[in-house]
Amino acid sequence: MNNQVKLIDADKLRIWLAKRMHHPRIYGDPFKCVLDAMLNGEFDPDTPPVPTIKPGDKVYHKRFKAQGKVKKISASGKRAYVVWFDGYVPSYVSLDSLEVVE
């Protein structure tokens, strides 16, 4: 038995419905149309982007203007544990707040 949660992208559903709401006779039973589209994967969420920051990368914190080195990425893939060169305490920070430094 597969207990994995199946999600849909609400924006894709909204756009799909908006395109069809002006022509109800063309598309037939609305419930069946939505169900068929769902089963065909038309509303499946896009695959999230793979983070480009990885352990060992030198990074720059955009807000605090500090540089450091990534030691590990959190299990969620949204945060990095960084050891800072500027004397700050090592910490987990959001990947969105970091840039890779060459």
Side-chain angles (χ1 to χ4, degrees):
M1 177 182 236
N2 185 355
N3 291 329
Q4 186 174 7
V5 175
K6 186 138 172 128
L7 304 174
I8 64 170
D9 186 319
D11 288 332
K12 286 183 180 180
L13 175 59
R14 182 184 53 77
I15 292 166
W16 187 90
L17 289 170
K19 287 179 182 176
R20 285 155 181 82
M21 69 183 271
H22 299 293
H23 306 287
R25 291 189 192 130
I26 296 172
Y27 296 105
D29 178 27
F31 179 76
K32 183 178 179 337
C33 289
V34 171
L35 184 60
D36 288 345
M38 244 176 19
L39 294 173
N40 289 331
E42 288 192 43
F43 312 127
D44 289 353
D46 296 329
T47 305
V50 177
T52 57
I53 296 175
K54 59 191 178 305
D57 285 347
K58 290 182 182 177
V59 292
Y60 175 77
H61 194 288
K62 298 174 197 174
R63 181 174 173 204
F64 297 116
K65 302 188 182 344
Q67 291 189 14
K69 188 171 188 176
V70 175
K71 291 298 180 181
K72 60 183 169 180
I73 303 293
S74 68
S76 69
K78 296 179 181 180
R79 299 170 62 88
Y81 186 77
V82 180
V83 175
W84 303 103
F85 301 144
D86 303 337
Y88 292 110
V89 176
S91 56
Y92 275 98
V93 294
S94 168
L95 291 178
D96 294 337
S97 64
L98 299 174
E99 293 178 348
V100 176
V101 177
E102 297 296 326

